Amino acid sequence: MSIRILDCTLRDGSHAINYKFDKDLTKKVLSGLENAGIEWIEMGHGRGLGASKRSGKAAPLSDEEYIDLAQETLKKAKFGFLCQKKFGNEEDVKMVAQKGVDFIRIATNITETDQVENLIKYAKEQNLSVFVALMKAHTVQNMSEYIKILQELQNWGVDLATLMDSTGTMLPEDVQKYINFAKTNVDLKIGFHAHNNLQLGIANAISAAKSGADSVDASIGGLGRSSGNAPTEIMALIFKKYGWNDNVDYKIISQLNDELIFPLIKGENRFSSKAITFGYAGFHSSFFPIVENVVEKNPNLDYRDIIMEISKINQVNVNEEIAEKAVANLLKKQ
C-alpha cells in the first residue's frame, strides 16, 4: 500500500520558531522536500491564512509572497495552506484559488464543524482540493457522534479529513479505534496528525497507517507546536521498512534537519514538565497563558494541577472563567 506523507514543517513548524520562516529558509526547505520526494507540502503562517494580518504575530512574508515563492521553487510537489475561521475568510480562500494553490486545509475543533460548513462549500466552489483538520479529535468520544461528523464532511465534498491529536494525548489504540471507525463507516479519505507530548508521535503515526489512514502528517526533525510532530525523516524510513512508501529519500530530509532545522531548536527541552502535562491532560498549549494568569493570583497552587483540573471541565475552549472555576475546585479540595 502507499500512504501519503504530508509535510507540515513550514506551517506547524513555524509555531516553534515564532512564525519566522523567511524567504531564504522557506525556499531551501521547499526545494529539499521536493528533491526528497515529498509530494504534499503545507506552508505559511502557523495559524493559517490571514493570521499575519489578524493574529498580532506576523510572518516575514505575506500569504501572497509565500505562494509566489512556492510557485517559483516547486516543479512537481503540491502545496497548500491552513485556514481557520478565526483568521481566514472567503476572500483569502478566493485569493489562494486564483493564485493556483493546490489545496486548502480548513481547521476547526472537531466539535465545531458546523461553523465552517459555508467555508468548506465555498472552497469547493473555487475548485480547490479541500482538506479539513479536525482539531482536538480526542474530545469526541462517542463514536456515533464522530461518524455523524465525518458523514457531514463527506456530504460537503471534503477530499481529506485529518484527525489532529492537537494535545498529543492519544494512545496508539485510540488512534486505531478512530481510524478504523472512519474507514469502515464513511467513504472519505482520512489523515492523521500526531503531536509528541507523550513521545508517542511516531507510534501513533504508525498506528494510523496500519489502521488504514490515507495520509500521515510529519515535519522535519519533528518541528512543531509544543512538543512537535512525528519527524518526516523517521517516518520515511519506517514507511520504507513496512513497504508502504519507498519514494521519499530520508537522507535529504535528515540533512535538512541537521543543517537547517535542528539549529533552530537546539538546547530546548521539548519534553518539558509543561509539555507532558499538556499531553496527559489533553490540554491545548494555546491556553497556557490563561493558566499563567491564574497562577500569579494563586502562587501556592501548582500550575500542573490547575491544568489537570481545567481539563476535567473543558478541553475544547478554555477561558479565564473556566480557569478560575478550576482554581476554586482545587482550593476547596485543600
Side-chain angles (χ1 to χ4, degrees):
M1 63 180 178
S2 180
I3 304 168
R4 171 193 301 163
I5 295 177
L6 189 154
D7 187 280
C8 55
T9 309
L10 291 169
R11 199 278 305 169
D12 199 342
S14 75
H15 286 298
I17 60 169
N18 200 27
Y19 315 106
K20 296 303 181 186
F21 273 114
D22 61 21
K23 183 175 181 178
D24 181 59
L25 182 54
T26 300
K27 188 177 182 68
K28 286 177 179 175
V29 171
L30 285 171
S31 180
L33 287 171
E34 181 171 65
N35 289 338
I38 293 293
E39 298 176 349
W40 294 81
I41 299 169
E42 185 178 63
M43 60 184 298
H45 195 290
R47 297 180 177 182
L49 293 170
S52 273
K53 294 181 285 188
R54 304 179 185 110
S55 72
K57 289 189 175 182
L61 279 68
S62 67
D63 295 332
E64 292 85 351
E65 288 170 329
Y66 278 123
I67 293 170
D68 292 342
L69 181 59
Q71 289 175 330
E72 290 168 16
T73 307
L74 299 175
K75 304 295 183 287
K76 299 178 294 181
K78 298 183 184 297
F79 71 98
F81 290 74
L82 189 85
C83 183
Q84 295 189 72
K85 190 178 179 184
K86 184 177 180 181
F87 304 113
N89 54 36
E90 289 185 357
E91 202 173 288
D92 297 303
V93 173
K94 186 175 183 179
M95 181 273 292
V96 298
Q98 289 177 337
K99 288 181 76 68
V101 170
D102 297 297
F103 68 89
I104 189 167
R105 180 145 66 167
I106 296 171
T108 176
N109 289 327
I110 193 170
T111 55
E112 298 170 345
T113 51
D114 58 309
Q115 296 182 16
V116 294
E117 177 182 357
N118 291 338
L119 196 59
I120 289 170
K121 290 179 176 177
Y122 182 78
K124 289 297 294 184
E125 289 170 6
Q126 304 305 307
N127 296 316
L128 283 162
S129 290
V130 179
F131 303 165
V132 172
L134 296 170
M135 301 186 298
K136 306 175 190 132
H138 75 280
T139 58
V140 172
Q141 297 183 2
N142 181 302
M143 287 296 107
S144 296
E145 183 183 346
Y146 166 61
I147 294 304
K148 185 180 176 184
I149 291 166
L150 295 182
Q151 287 171 338
E152 285 181 334
L153 296 180
Q154 180 184 326
N155 292 337
W156 299 340
V158 168
D159 297 289
L160 173 75
T162 298
L163 304 176
M164 311 285 274
D165 183 17
S166 309
T167 64
T169 195
M170 296 174 85
L171 301 174
E173 52 265 39
D174 299 326
V175 178
Q176 180 184 27
K177 176 182 173 183
Y178 278 78
I179 301 293
N180 277 343
F181 260 87
K183 297 304 291 183
T184 54
N185 286 280
V186 291
D187 185 18
L188 179 64
K189 289 190 181 299
I190 300 294
F192 182 73
H193 177 103
H195 274 271
N196 208 25
N197 294 66
L198 298 178
Q199 301 195 45
L200 289 172
I202 294 170
N204 283 341
I206 292 171
S207 181
K210 283 186 172 182
S211 303
D214 301 281
S215 175
V216 170
D217 289 7
S219 62
I220 301 169
L223 185 72
R225 183 186 49 74
S226 192
S227 286
N229 311 120
T232 306
E233 61 273 35
I234 294 177
M235 294 312 303
L237 283 174
I238 289 171
F239 276 27
K240 186 180 179 73
K241 271 181 170 285
Y242 278 110
W244 294 335
N245 186 334
D246 198 19
N247 300 322
V248 179
D249 187 339
Y250 88 93
K251 290 180 288 186
I252 295 175
I253 299 175
S254 60
Q255 195 74 14
L256 286 173
N257 183 39
D258 292 345
E259 295 177 1
L260 302 178
I261 301 302
F262 184 72
L264 299 175
I265 58 173
K266 194 173 181 180
E268 290 189 18
N269 178 7
R270 304 183 77 200
F271 305 110
S272 63
S273 181
K274 182 172 68 174
I276 63 175
T277 302
F278 295 165
Y280 182 79
F283 180 89
H284 198 277
S285 60
S286 64
F287 301 137
F288 189 63
I290 296 171
V291 174
E292 290 180 305
N293 289 339
V294 297
V295 167
E296 279 187 20
K297 304 173 195 172
N298 301 274
N300 293 327
L301 291 179
D302 190 313
Y303 76 89
R304 290 162 293 197
D305 294 332
I306 296 173
I307 288 170
M308 295 292 189
E309 193 65 31
I310 287 173
S311 292
K312 292 176 186 175
I313 301 169
N314 193 316
Q315 296 180 341
V316 177
N317 291 304
V318 175
N319 54 33
E320 199 83 28
E321 184 181 345
I322 289 171
E324 294 288 359
K325 183 177 179 182
V327 166
N329 290 346
L330 290 171
L331 292 174
K332 199 179 296 183
K333 289 176 186 176
Q334 284 185 347

